[in-house]
């Protein structure tokens, strides 16, 4: 038995035991990772360089691509390297960094998706007030709030998770470090504190999801009331980028 003060490394889940399958996993995940880098890189470059895309919707999309690049770069490269070198080890500090960054970046993404739903709602349902409600200053504040909420949430969860005594070994039943799997290694009831925080976070995420759904219910209702087919098509095309990233 060990405790968290003596732990120096964790063992991650492996996708395969045979060398051939490990190399297949390496090739497959490397391809996915490079595709994600290319796709998000193109979005960031296009939005940054094209003046026509300097609008609130594409500003939020640029932020979302940055968060997505960060989130996939936090977990996938380590898994790729482990498969290539036939190992499953991650250091204690590396595991803590993964937990923090995954929580931070995914939390920021979810907050930003909620902000983007609000942006589309105002654009379709309250177009006359769009310049006032979603101006450049408001966009920066909302994006900063999304990043900031993800950072604070990650800081709280990471500090709380790694303050819990661990004595059930060092094997994490996942290919990256995540909070629920680390909590399984705890040896005291203090993990219930973090479980409570996870429940609160899950409720907040559910609230964001409900907000997104209700926003699009009102958006679709407003679009269907537009008399001309061309107007409806234009309104739907305004929502397409956000709908695509929410679906993904």
């Amino acid at each position: 038995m060990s405790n968290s003060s003596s732990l120096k490394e964790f063992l991650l889940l492996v996708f395969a035991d045979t060398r051939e399958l490990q190399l297949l996993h390496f090739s497959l995940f490397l391809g996915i990772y490079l595709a994600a880098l290319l796709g998000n890189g193109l979005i960031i470059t296009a939005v940054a360089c094209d003046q026509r895309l300097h609008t609130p919707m594409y500003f939020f999309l640029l932020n979302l691509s940055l968060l997505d690049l960060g989130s996939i770069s936090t977990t996938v490269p380590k898994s790729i390297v482990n498969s290539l070198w036939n190992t499953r080890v991650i250091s204690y500090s590396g595991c803590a960094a993964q937990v923090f960054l995954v929580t931070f970046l995914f939390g920021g993404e979810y907050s930003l998706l909620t902000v983007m739903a609000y942006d589309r709602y105002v654009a379709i349902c309250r177009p006359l007030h769009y310049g006032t409600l979603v101006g450049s200053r408001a966009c920066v504040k909302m994006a900063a709030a999304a990043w900031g909420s993800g950072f604070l949430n990650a800081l709280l969860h990471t500090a709380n998770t790694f303050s819990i005594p661990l004595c059930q070994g060092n094997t994490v039943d996942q290919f990256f470090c995540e909070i629920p799997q680390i909590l399984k290694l705890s040896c005291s009831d203090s993990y219930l504190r973090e479980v409570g925080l996870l429940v609160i976070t899950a409720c907040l995420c559910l609230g964001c999801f409900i907000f997104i759904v209700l926003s699009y219910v009102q958006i679709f209702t407003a679009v269907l009331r537009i008399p001309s087919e061309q107007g409806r098509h234009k309104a739907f095309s305004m929502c397409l980028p956000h709908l695509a990233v929410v679906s993904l």
Side-chain angles (χ1 to χ4, degrees):
M1 305 288 281
S2 60
N3 56 49
S4 55
S5 61
S6 63
L7 279 178
K8 294 184 178 180
E9 61 186 28
F10 290 93
L11 300 178
L12 299 176
L13 183 69
V14 293
F15 279 93
D17 295 326
T18 64
R19 189 59 183 156
E20 291 78 10
L21 290 176
Q22 287 174 348
L23 292 175
L24 177 62
H25 164 252
F26 163 77
S27 302
L28 179 63
F29 271 60
L30 179 61
I32 294 173
Y33 181 61
L34 292 176
L37 288 181
L38 177 62
N40 285 292
L42 288 174
I43 291 174
I44 293 169
T45 303
V47 175
C49 297
D50 193 338
Q51 290 288 335
R52 294 171 300 176
L53 300 182
H54 290 181
T55 62
M57 180 177 68
Y58 287 101
F59 169 75
F60 292 134
L61 195 59
L62 181 146
N63 279 267
L64 193 65
S65 292
L66 290 172
L67 287 167
D68 193 49
L69 272 179
S71 61
I72 196 170
S73 298
T74 300
T75 56
V76 176
K78 179 60 178 175
S79 181
I80 291 173
V81 169
N82 281 2
S83 290
L84 181 62
W85 296 110
N86 192 23
T87 182
R88 52 189 299 200
V89 173
I90 184 171
S91 66
Y92 186 90
S93 58
C95 187
Q98 269 199 352
V99 167
F100 174 80
L101 290 172
V102 167
T103 309
F104 164 44
L105 294 165
F106 277 106
E109 279 194 56
Y110 213 74
S111 299
L112 202 58
L113 288 174
T114 307
V115 169
M116 291 174 73
Y118 171 74
D119 168 64
R120 293 300 86 199
Y121 165 77
V122 176
I124 301 297
C125 300
R126 303 183 64 183
L128 297 179
H129 299 87
Y130 187 76
T132 304
L133 296 175
V134 195
S136 57
R137 183 172 296 181
C139 287
V140 172
K141 288 181 179 179
M142 286 188 285
W147 285 81
S149 62
F151 179 83
L152 292 176
N153 182 55
L155 191 64
L156 180 63
H157 281 291
T158 305
N160 200 37
T161 298
F162 286 91
S163 67
I164 297 171
L166 306 176
C167 62
Q168 301 294 327
N170 65 339
T171 302
V172 179
D173 194 22
Q174 180 59 280
F175 79 96
F176 66 95
C177 288
E178 66 172 4
I179 294 173
Q181 297 301 328
I182 294 174
L183 293 183
K184 290 181 180 180
L185 307 178
S186 65
C187 53
S188 72
D189 290 338
S190 57
Y191 79 93
L192 294 175
R193 179 181 57 192
E194 175 59 22
V195 171
L197 286 175
L198 288 173
V199 171
I200 293 172
T201 301
C203 291
L204 292 174
C205 289
L206 179 61
C208 291
F209 177 75
I210 292 172
F211 178 85
I212 292 172
V213 171
L214 292 178
S215 296
Y216 270 93
V217 167
Q218 296 193 57
I219 287 171
F220 289 141
T221 301
V223 169
L224 292 175
R225 289 176 182 165
I226 298 175
S228 68
E229 183 178 347
Q230 184 178 4
R232 289 194 298 271
H233 182 269
K234 182 179 179 181
F236 275 125
S237 66
M238 290 174 63
C239 302
L240 189 59
H242 184 239
L243 282 174
V245 294
V246 169
S247 300
L248 290 172

